[in-house]
Amino acid sequence: MRTDSSPGTLPAREHLPAGNAGTPVLDVVIPVYNEEKDLGPCVVRLHDHLKRTFPYAFRITIADNASTDTTPQVARQLETDLAEVTSFRLEQKGRGRALRTVWSASDAPILAYMDVDLSTDLNALLPLVAPLISGHSDLAIGSRLARSSRVVRGAKREFISRSYNLILRGSLQARFSDAQCGFKAIRRDVAQVLLPMVEDTGWFFDTEMLVIAERAGLRIHEVPVDWVDDPNSTVHIVKTATEDLKGVWRVGKALATGSLPLDRIARPFGDDPRDRDIQDVPKGLAQQLVGFCVVGGLSTLFYLVLYSAFRSFSGSQIANALALLVSAVANTAANRRLTFGVRGRGGAVRHQAQGLVVFGIGLALTSGSLAALNAASSDPSHSTELAVLIAANLAATVLRFLLFRAWVFPDRDGAGRPESTVVATHSPSSPTYTTGGYQQQYQQQPYQPQGPLPQRPARPPYAQSGSTTTTQFRAGEAADGTWRDSTMQLQPVRPHDTDPGDPR
């Protein structure tokens, strides 16, 4: 897995300005391979729908995955006939490769894709991209498994889809409901940083992108869709399922070892309302207590198993010390990740060293309890020893939580710290987009939102080229000291368009 890291590269989410009328706000990519029959009707239908219902400029990009039939000729004809349609040819197969290539080259601030069969009802397209335009979310996906979705498909595909998502939930702790629906969108500024971290070039591309984004704390919006199965689908289910399972294992291993640089796509300090210093609102204490109790209960069982194993060939004091040492290391690692949300390898050695100090306190309590028991009874039973150790561990657990929270893993959100001042620089001019043909998109400058962007206090101030002004403000706070929404509103390109409705 890639391990290069550049923390804090994402700006704070903001409402996207519409820009010039000739520059698309939305770029819908349709990856195809040997789809000469379906491509024409699909693009014409999508183009008509966007013309009637989408209030901003758009583009439809056909991504040809090395087709061997007449698909390239059909794509070029559509590009000639429809001004908003362009085509791109890749000489290698792979849906993920096609999406990464076209999305990386696009100048549109919102990037989407959909399958050529248009199984998903197009009325869900505007609800899909609206949260990305408004700045509310980073990615959006269509879900066939949401309660309000209306889906028509066979039992075989239904079983496979639900089984796959259960695997994702059980192995990768995914919280999104449908990874495989060919109906997704992403903000371009997020894609620029996220796509280089995704290794898969095939069907697992979607899942890997969503898992990494979710683990990094990005917001994924789900839209219930109406979906009708395409009986003529050319997807090879067994081969695709095998590759997906290999991908699940690879991504799960990378997450477990901390080799994924998730901090590359972290939002800046202050973008999350949990960063704000609000009086009388606890900073996750209840959640930390629950997590600590769960980890503590499992650690206690682990400790008792180890103690019983070590007691079979050593004395009670040695068995207690060894069992407590091993379980303490595991307990610190689990609490670090699950209870206090510390990710990556940074500071892991220091945390374990501090955890061993806490372990020493627990050892003193449990050892003292065993010494007192042996002083009171020359030959205590094994059950009595376990009861005493459980009571001593309960007392040590309370002290361990307090030390973990206040010393080993202090509040990362800044509760109890003095207010810090953050410096951000910004250009007063509005962002612009360069218009032109599709081939010119490779020379486009990265999209930058308008306005001051709060950054992490430890990082250098964010700056754009040209004349700049410097503003000081608290992390997560507007420059005028308020929290109100100061984002720019989009102006429709065709404000008088009306939707005649779906004829169904």
Side-chain angles (χ1 to χ4, degrees):
M1 304 298 293
R2 297 173 176 85
T3 57
D4 54 317
S5 175
S6 55
T9 55
L10 282 183
R13 285 191 302 263
E14 292 195 7
H15 200 123
L16 297 175
N20 296 330
T23 303
V25 171
L26 172 67
D27 191 350
V28 183
V29 180
I30 303 177
V32 292
Y33 173 72
N34 290 348
E35 298 286 356
E36 57 185 1
K37 294 182 180 180
D38 294 336
L39 180 57
C42 162
V43 173
V44 170
R45 179 182 164 195
L46 174 61
H47 181 270
D48 178 67
H49 177 84
L50 290 172
K51 273 284 190 181
R52 290 187 296 105
T53 66
F54 196 70
Y56 314 111
F58 65 88
R59 179 194 299 124
I60 300 173
T61 302
I62 304 169
D64 179 16
N65 273 150
S67 296
T68 57
D69 60 1
T70 61
T71 297
Q73 290 85 345
V74 175
R76 286 193 292 268
Q77 186 62 47
L78 290 168
E79 187 175 11
T80 301
D81 296 341
L82 303 174
E84 291 85 1
V85 176
T86 186
S87 63
F88 189 87
R89 168 78 176 183
L90 289 88
E91 298 303 329
Q92 293 178 294
K93 293 175 61 178
R95 183 182 67 170
R97 178 181 287 108
L99 291 176
R100 189 203 326 271
T101 302
V102 178
W103 278 356
S104 299
S106 180
D107 62 346
I110 304 298
L111 311 170
Y113 96 89
M114 62 181 61
D115 293 335
V116 69
D117 57 15
L118 293 186
S119 296
T120 305
D121 184 71
L122 292 178
N123 286 326
L125 182 56
L126 185 55
L128 183 81
V129 301
L132 308 185
I133 294 175
S134 70
H136 175 270
S137 302
D138 300 292
L139 300 92
I141 64 174
S143 176
R144 299 163 296 182
L145 303 180
R147 290 186 177 181
S148 56
S149 298
R150 293 174 290 189
V151 176
V152 178
R153 61 176 168 180
K156 180 180 178 180
R157 286 185 175 271
E158 180 78 10
F159 174 78
I160 293 175
S161 180
R162 291 189 179 275
S163 298
Y164 180 65
N165 283 282
L166 285 176
I167 292 174
L168 293 181
R169 289 176 177 269
S171 60
L172 300 179
Q173 289 79 51
R175 294 190 298 273
F176 48 85
S177 65
D178 192 351
Q180 295 176 309
C181 183
F183 195 71
K184 296 181 176 67
I186 185 173
R187 288 172 62 103
R188 179 173 175 255
D189 56 350
V190 176
Q192 287 180 325
V193 186
L194 178 60
L195 294 183
M197 300 173 61
V198 181
E199 292 190 2
D200 191 81
T201 59
W203 293 97
F204 187 69
F205 174 88
D206 305 50
T207 301
E208 185 171 357
M209 178 181 68
L210 292 174
V211 169
I212 295 175
E214 186 177 71
R215 286 299 187 94
L218 300 185
R219 177 175 286 160
I220 301 174
H221 179 76
E222 295 197 19
V223 178
V225 297
D226 296 347
W227 195 85
V228 179
D229 189 14
D230 178 15
N232 299 318
S233 175
T234 58
V235 178
H236 299 286
I237 297 178
V238 176
K239 180 181 178 181
T240 302
T242 302
E243 294 299 321
D244 286 350
L245 292 177
K246 291 180 180 178
V248 170
W249 170 260
R250 174 174 54 81
V251 173
K253 181 180 179 181
L255 292 172
T257 58
S259 60
L260 273 173
L262 298 177
D263 54 352
R264 283 188 58 192
I265 48 178
R267 286 292 180 184
F269 186 85
D271 185 64
D272 193 318
R274 292 170 295 184
D275 293 335
R276 303 172 188 171
D277 187 12
I278 303 176
Q279 299 296 327
D280 301 324
V281 177
K283 294 282 186 174
L285 176 60
Q287 182 177 0
Q288 289 179 357
L289 278 173
V290 172
F292 185 82
C293 289
V294 172
V295 172
L298 295 176
S299 298
T300 300
L301 294 177
F302 184 48
Y303 162 79
L304 294 176
V305 172
L306 291 177
Y307 177 81
S308 299
F310 293 145
R311 188 67 174 86
S312 62
F313 59 83
S314 64
S316 61
Q317 293 288 4
I318 296 178
N320 173 63
L322 291 175
L324 197 57
L325 175 61
V326 175
S327 61
V329 172
N331 180 276
T332 300
N335 276 308
R336 180 177 186 270
R337 174 65 181 86
L338 302 177
T339 303
F340 298 97
V342 180
R343 298 170 177 171
R345 297 179 179 179
V349 176
R350 175 175 58 84
H351 292 154
Q352 284 291 352
Q354 292 173 311
L356 289 178
V357 174
V358 179
F359 150 76
I361 297 175
L363 178 62
L365 286 174
T366 53
S367 297
S369 300
L370 284 176
L373 176 63
N374 290 327
S377 175
S378 59
D379 188 20
S381 65
H382 184 64
S383 59
T384 304
E385 285 184 351
L386 291 179
V388 171
L389 288 174
I390 291 174
N393 269 290
L394 288 176
T397 297
V398 176
L399 183 59
R400 186 183 302 118
F401 176 76
L402 296 176
L403 290 175
F404 272 0
R405 181 174 170 83
W407 180 47
V408 183
F409 308 108
D411 189 355
R412 298 180 299 123
D413 291 335
R417 293 200 307 256
E419 292 184 1
S420 59
T421 301
V422 185
V423 177
T425 60
H426 67 282
S427 171
S429 60
S430 299
T432 59
Y433 298 93
T434 304
T435 59
Y438 186 80
Q439 297 298 327
Q440 297 178 358
Q441 295 167 19
Y442 288 95
Q443 284 78 41
Q444 301 303 321
Q445 296 298 320
Y447 167 76
Q448 297 291 349
Q450 181 183 9
L453 303 178
Q455 297 293 304
R456 300 179 187 276
R459 301 289 299 174
Y462 178 89
Q464 294 180 345
S465 60
S467 61
T468 61
T469 58
T470 302
T471 307
Q472 289 192 343
F473 54 91
R474 286 178 52 215
E477 184 177 7
D480 60 358
T482 67
W483 295 101
R484 67 176 183 268
D485 181 12
S486 59
T487 57
M488 176 181 291
Q489 301 296 321
L490 283 100
Q491 298 299 323
V493 176
R494 297 181 294 277
H496 301 296
D497 276 359
T498 57
D499 183 5
D502 194 327
R504 286 189 308 165

